[in-house]
Amino acid sequence: MIPIDSAAAEIFAAANNTIALTGAGISVASGIPHFRGCGGIWENYDPEEYGTIQAFQRNPAKVWIALKIFCDIMDKARPNPAHFALASLEKLGYLRTIITQNIDGLHQEAGSNNVIEFHGNNRWLVCQKCGKRYPNTEVVIDLLPPLCVCGGVLKPDVVLFGEIIPREALYSSYLEANNCSVVIVIGTSAAVEPAASIPRIASRAGAKIIEINPEEEMPSDIHLSGFAEEVLPILLEKINRLSIQQDAL
Ligand code: NAD
């Protein structure tokens, strides 16, 4: 019998229009806790109370107390072997696009070029009054909330609960989902809509779903149970080996 990850490698190697959907789980090994992690952050700062646009508009200084903790964690995080494996798959021509729900920018830092950020990017701050954007490295986040030169409140350029997904990200993600033959879904509980619907859209359009997650979070054709930072480098190695064998034939 073919070990399950060999089957996944064969599907990958045979397809030329594979996309990935990634979630918080892929960045856990980089030191960023996911919602269900036992890092304590999410337990102390309920996303309902600190993660909605309504809460931010009501009391930005209070919400910024939590945002600053997330910013500090994300600033220190570096890509892990899972991010690097996906970047290699793109370079080798096996992966077309990454749609990420993450806001940490680690896919790009690892070398991936074609990344759709569904929920924005924490490395930028945007003024709620005039729309000016600042790299977070240019803003001293000392007094909360940080302010724009115009006096408006700055917010990380991320989609808080209650905000709409940037139109371009939504449109291109749905286009990708409708036009791929494989989706590799990594480290997401697929509980947050509309990102959660991407594998469903792809599946309805005939794509195969490969899930990498210690938990089985969704219906899939292949579930690779394990940590992304361990499974993805093995998958990459197997795909490389298959491609060498095929070239030798
Ligand atoms: P989630 O917290 O709901 O689920 C995380 C999933 O990752 C779980 O299914 C868990 O079993 C799995 N997981 C844990 N460790 C893993 C590992 N090492 N390898 C593979 N899988 C692992 O995350 P979500 O579905 O992405 O939804 C959370 C929302 O919060 C997203 O919209 C995201 O924008 C945001 N978020 C982002 C970050 C980040 O940018 N790194 C971190 C936390 C939350």
Side-chain angles (χ1 to χ4, degrees):
M1 195 170 125
I2 307 172
I4 196 90
D5 47 346
S6 293
E10 280 165 20
I11 290 175
F12 233 95
N16 60 2
N17 51 2
T18 296
I19 65 169
L21 172 68
T22 65
I26 197 169
S27 295
V28 169
S30 295
I32 306 174
H34 60 104
F35 271 155
R36 299 188 198 164
C38 51
I41 301 167
W42 306 103
E43 283 122 45
N44 294 337
Y45 296 101
D46 178 2
E48 299 278 332
E49 205 183 326
Y50 288 87
T52 68
I53 186 65
Q54 292 79 9
F56 186 85
Q57 284 164 346
R58 244 188 340 262
N59 191 344
K62 176 184 166 187
V63 171
W64 256 108
I65 295 171
L67 293 178
K68 188 170 172 352
I69 295 172
F70 305 142
C71 288
D72 289 346
I73 291 173
M74 288 193 190
D75 284 350
K76 288 193 196 103
R78 290 295 162 261
N80 69 59
H83 299 104
F84 287 117
L86 288 184
S88 297
L89 286 169
E90 182 191 295
K91 278 192 190 73
L92 293 166
Y94 292 113
L95 184 64
R96 189 174 67 199
T97 305
I98 297 172
I99 302 167
T100 188
Q101 300 166 81
N102 294 344
I103 55 174
D104 53 34
L106 293 181
H107 287 302
Q108 294 92 324
E109 199 177 323
S112 290
N113 290 309
N114 203 8
V115 181
I116 298 173
E117 290 179 318
F118 213 75
H119 293 156
N121 192 315
N122 202 56
R123 294 179 182 197
W124 289 85
L125 301 177
V126 62
C127 174
Q128 298 303 282
K129 194 169 159 195
C130 73
K132 185 171 161 65
R133 294 173 85 242
Y134 297 82
N136 68 358
T137 47
E138 281 181 12
V139 178
V140 182
I141 303 172
D142 197 353
L143 288 177
L144 300 180
L147 300 178
C148 177
V149 284
C150 79
V153 172
L154 294 176
K155 175 178 106 39
D157 197 7
V158 301
V159 177
L160 297 179
F161 288 110
E163 288 191 287
I164 53 166
I165 306 297
R167 197 200 306 208
E168 175 57 28
L170 190 64
Y171 176 77
S172 36
S173 299
Y174 284 178
L175 200 66
E176 291 284 348
N178 271 305
N179 292 286
C180 66
S181 55
V182 181
V183 187
I184 181 157
V185 184
I186 308 156
T188 175
S189 59
V192 181
E193 288 290 357
S197 63
I198 287 167
R200 279 201 304 276
I201 292 170
S203 178
R204 257 185 252 132
K208 286 200 160 37
I209 308 296
I210 300 172
E211 181 183 28
I212 300 179
N213 196 313
E215 311 289 333
E216 199 163 350
E217 300 282 25
M218 68 184 63
S220 65
D221 295 279
I222 296 181
H223 173 232
L224 303 179
S225 176
F227 298 120
E229 64 277 14
E230 292 169 3
V231 174
L232 272 167
I234 296 171
L235 190 61
L236 171 65
E237 195 191 308
K238 283 183 184 280
I239 293 168
N240 270 330
R241 232 184 281 147
L242 270 177
S243 135
I244 291 166
Q245 282 165 11
Q246 278 160 6
D247 286 349
L249 290 178

